[in-house]
Amino acid sequence: MVKYKNEMRSEERPNMRGGNGTVKITHALEKEEINGPLRLCATLTLEPGASIGEHIHEKEDEIFYIVSGTAKVMDNGVEKIVYAGDSVITGNGGSHSIENIGIDDLVVFATIVTY
């Protein structure tokens, strides 16, 4: 299967999980297109200053791969700075948040795998 960019569903979520600004979500694949325990497979775009508020992942893992930009991540209560090429994984009851602290858009490829 090939899915072209113009076939991907996009949406905008203001104040996602209590964060600031709006997050643009481009769904690379939908749950129904995958034969496995995948809840999300998408690119997240956050403008400078935008964020996704802190939240917990129970019985699932969320993986962020930073495609471009600079972000501040709260990783189980510990603040860390991440850059293009870095990855973040949160799960097993852990919590995280992410904020674009750069001057350019933050682009994150995100997947959520359930278990």
Side-chain angles (χ1 to χ4, degrees), residues 78-106:
V78 178
E79 182 178 303
K80 298 183 180 178
I81 306 300
V82 293
Y83 305 93
D86 293 340
S87 293
V88 178
I89 185 167
T90 305
N92 201 26
S95 66
H96 69 160
S97 66
I98 189 165
E99 177 184 359
N100 182 353
I101 61 170
I103 59 171
D104 298 313
D105 284 354
L106 173 66

Side-chain angles (χ1 to χ4, degrees), residues 7 11-12 16 23-24 31 33-35 42 51 64 66 70-71 75-76 82 87 96 102 109 113-114:
E7 299 172 329
E11 62 179 299
E12 292 187 353
M16 189 169 175
V23 177
K24 180 182 178 188
K31 290 187 290 188
E33 296 172 319
I34 299 171
N35 296 317
S51 63
F64 286 160
I66 310 303
T70 304
D75 180 33
N76 290 309
V82 293
S87 293
H96 69 160
F109 190 76
V113 181
T114 62

